[in-house]
Amino acid sequence: MSETLCSGNVTTRLQRIAELAREDRSRVFTSVAHAIDLEWVMEAYRRTRKDGAAGVDGCTWADYATNLETNLSALAMKIRSGTYRPLPVRRAHIPKASGGERPIGIPSFEDKVAQRAVAMLLEAIYEQDFSPWSYGFRPGRSAHGALEELQRRPTSWKRCWVIEADIQSFFDTIDHTKLRSILDQRVRDGVVRMLVDRWLSAGVMEQGRLVRPDEGTPQGGVISPLLANIFLHEVLDRWVVRDVWPRLKGHMEPIRYADDFVLLLQREDDARRVMTALHRRFERFGLKLHPEKTRLVSFNCPGLGKQRAQQQRSFDFLGFTHYWAVSRNRSWIVKQRTAKNRFARGLKNLKERCRTMRHHVLREQHETLCRMLRGHFNYYGITGNGEALSRYRHEAERIWGRSLARRNRRSFSWRRFLPLLERFPLPAAHPTHSVVPSESAT
């Protein structure tokens, strides 16, 4: 079976669904599950990551692929007939930038394919509705697009107030009843909705104990980011357009990446009213904004002249600290540098990795560190952040050198370590994304 052929046929059907959704924004889709046939599931399989951890059944991608066509054919039949039943997700924990741990749900590999198949269908519909300021987990969009907009707006306005928002335990507190009500507005196909309900109630397996929560959607699942976007599109995005913008005296620009968002406003009075209304809006949908992490920041350009003293002239969003600085042509612009907590967390991970592979051969250590640094630079490598990137690379070299010195039971010496760095150089710290206008880049 040709995956290229499958992809082309499925693309045509996806385009047709998208056209129907775009032509009539009030259209309710009641019969779309029939599109999920073997070709569709093959395409979902092709789009599914193959390097993820195994779920509760221990089945990896390689295990599933040994009898691929039979497995996918059976999966397509179970989805279309409504007999597919997902396994519980396996709970794992990863460190959070702010401290503590974030719970992640790891579905079985077959469930990842099934979720991808349904997500493809829902995405074709909801991409026609989603707002242009929503950047998270959407095709052709990324955090760097949000960062570019966040740099451009305050630089253009000069006068700006920022509502920096943090939703408490968003993925764990999504109200299932309200989510179903929101889905009713666009999708009422019985098979699709039954599958979504089963994923919401599949439960979490942790240390041999099964828990079935009555709210939330496990982070880590393929379908979870899309459901989060659908939920917040109604809670925040549509509310802004329908109820907030018409009442403002100045301009306002929302920027959202999944459950992380900021609201940029030109006027202080508008900002204070929106701040108050925002809490009420989220409470209506069973969500809470963190009382300490949600704040209103005065972010006026320092070059405006006489103005009320500002205690806060920076804020963090998407792992970057946003602040005012003077560009090469001596104009004030908003710049972005790696946030302190993200910088420290990255170095902590590097240090731990060097400790665990201290006695591995040098080439293996070098390859691992290069991958980690490239990953850091691929995200944080934006124009204007060169100093933080160079400092991160220097600290990575020092951490590696100290680790090797401990292996040899010596004190660390740059003189002894530099010849090794010439043989095994770490990646250069060059920006890979431009989010600052060229005339003001540094």
Side-chain angles (χ1 to χ4, degrees):
M1 187 183 332
S2 168
E3 289 191 14
T4 303
L5 178 61
C6 294
S7 177
N9 291 340
V10 172
T11 298
T12 301
R13 278 178 276 170
L14 285 170
Q15 289 174 345
R16 178 55 181 159
I17 293 171
E19 287 173 4
L20 292 173
R22 186 167 52 251
E23 289 170 359
D24 184 1
R25 300 299 175 89
S26 62
R27 182 189 183 101
V28 179
F29 290 82
T30 58
S31 179
V32 283
H34 58 82
I36 306 178
D37 58 9
L38 179 57
E39 286 185 329
W40 189 287
V41 173
M42 275 292 297
E43 176 65 12
Y45 169 81
R46 189 181 69 83
R47 298 186 186 189
T48 301
R49 283 184 55 184
K50 312 299 190 299
D51 58 348
V56 295
D57 60 353
C59 179
T60 65
W61 159 71
D63 298 330
Y64 196 81
T66 56
N67 199 10
L68 183 60
E69 188 165 344
T70 300
N71 288 335
L72 294 181
S73 180
L75 177 59
M77 185 178 299
K78 287 186 288 186
I79 290 176
R80 286 165 63 105
S81 64
T83 59
Y84 179 76
R85 294 193 174 275
L87 295 172
V89 298
R90 180 169 67 84
R91 174 63 56 83
H93 297 269
I94 61 173
K96 294 174 65 175
S98 57
E101 294 183 324
R102 184 189 306 278
I104 295 293
I106 304 174
S108 66
F109 182 78
E110 182 170 75
D111 208 30
K112 293 176 185 178
V113 178
Q115 289 189 26
R116 178 64 65 193
V118 174
M120 287 162 52
L121 194 154
L122 293 177
E123 190 177 81
I125 297 170
Y126 282 98
E127 273 298 313
Q128 317 315 311
D129 301 341
F130 286 157
S131 304
W133 59 78
S134 171
Y135 292 89
F137 305 103
R138 295 181 58 194
R141 290 174 170 264
S142 68
H144 295 102
L147 292 170
E148 182 175 357
E149 186 67 12
L150 191 49
Q151 187 279 332
R152 185 173 68 87
R153 285 293 179 181
T155 298
S156 173
W157 290 352
K158 302 304 180 185
R159 297 187 181 276
C160 184
W161 287 75
V162 179
I163 297 177
E164 183 185 2
D166 183 272
I167 308 174
Q168 284 185 301
S169 304
F170 170 69
F171 282 91
D172 296 330
T173 57
I174 293 178
D175 187 300
H176 291 178
T177 301
K178 288 183 170 56
L179 175 59
R180 293 186 186 102
S181 178
I182 292 170
L183 288 169
D184 280 343
Q185 299 174 26
R186 269 305 221 175
V187 181
R188 295 181 191 166
D189 182 287
V191 171
V192 172
R193 295 296 301 277
M194 180 171 57
L195 284 168
V196 172
D197 283 344
R198 286 177 180 173
W199 282 316
L200 291 175
S201 60
V204 175
M205 184 71 72
E206 185 172 15
Q207 296 180 345
R209 190 167 65 94
L210 177 62
V211 178
R212 297 187 186 275
D214 55 5
E215 61 180 10
T217 176
Q219 295 184 65
V222 175
I223 199 77
S224 294
L226 179 56
L227 294 179
N229 270 336
I230 293 171
F231 196 77
L232 285 176
H233 175 71
E234 175 65 27
V235 176
L236 180 67
D237 300 353
R238 289 188 64 189
W239 173 69
V240 165
V241 174
R242 183 182 63 239
D243 298 332
V244 178
W245 274 350
R247 294 174 170 83
L248 296 179
K249 298 177 182 178
H251 292 295
M252 170 180 167
E253 182 73 15
I255 299 175
R256 182 169 68 82
Y257 189 91
D259 61 321
D260 293 326
F261 68 93
V262 293
L263 305 178
L264 311 179
L265 299 102
Q266 282 187 314
R267 295 174 58 103
E268 180 181 358
D269 54 350
D270 284 341
R272 295 196 180 280
R273 288 199 307 273
V274 172
M275 184 74 164
T276 301
L278 192 66
H279 283 273
R280 293 198 301 264
R281 176 66 177 178
F282 275 75
E283 287 173 358
R284 180 180 168 188
F285 286 84
L287 300 174
K288 291 183 179 180
L289 296 177
H290 198 291
E292 297 176 359
K293 297 181 181 179
T294 300
R295 60 183 184 134
L296 181 60
V297 181
S298 176
F299 199 60
N300 290 339
C301 173
L304 287 176
K306 292 183 180 180
Q307 57 177 310
R308 187 169 52 191
Q310 292 178 299
Q311 297 298 319
Q312 304 157 318
R313 213 186 294 276
S314 69
F315 63 95
D316 290 353
F317 183 62
L318 296 180
F320 289 86
T321 296
H322 307 264
Y323 64 102
W324 286 97
V326 178
S327 69
R328 286 180 180 177
N329 62 8
R330 310 308 299 169
S331 62
W332 284 97
I333 63 170
V334 173
K335 290 189 177 182
Q336 296 141 331
R337 62 171 178 262
T338 310
K340 289 181 179 180
N341 59 346
R342 297 297 185 93
F343 191 94
R345 185 179 70 174
L347 292 180
K348 181 180 178 181
N349 291 340
L350 276 171
K351 187 174 183 179
E352 178 62 22
R353 194 73 183 94
C354 283
R355 187 190 65 80
T356 58
M357 64 179 182
R358 184 176 298 158
H359 298 286
H360 296 189
V361 297
L362 287 177
R363 187 169 299 279
E364 181 181 338
Q365 293 190 40
H366 177 250
E367 290 173 354
T368 299
L369 289 175
C370 285
R371 282 196 301 270
M372 295 181 74
L373 261 70
R374 289 191 191 103
H376 183 90
F377 296 156
N378 284 342
Y379 183 75
Y380 294 101
I382 65 172
T383 309
N385 196 33
E387 181 182 347
L389 298 179
S390 297
R391 191 157 49 91
Y392 190 87
R393 183 179 186 270
H394 175 75
E395 290 297 321
E397 291 175 339
R398 186 181 62 83
I399 288 170
W400 191 25
R402 287 182 177 278
S403 176
L404 294 177
R406 288 191 185 96
R407 181 173 81 166
N408 298 322
R409 298 183 180 180
R410 291 181 174 181
S411 59
F412 174 66
S413 166
W414 280 106
R415 181 180 57 80
R416 288 195 301 266
F417 184 53
L418 286 176
L420 185 142
L421 274 181
E422 292 178 1
R423 290 172 52 205
F424 298 101
L426 296 180
H430 293 313
T432 56
H433 304 279
S434 176
V435 299
V436 179
S438 58
E439 67 270 15
S440 58
T442 62

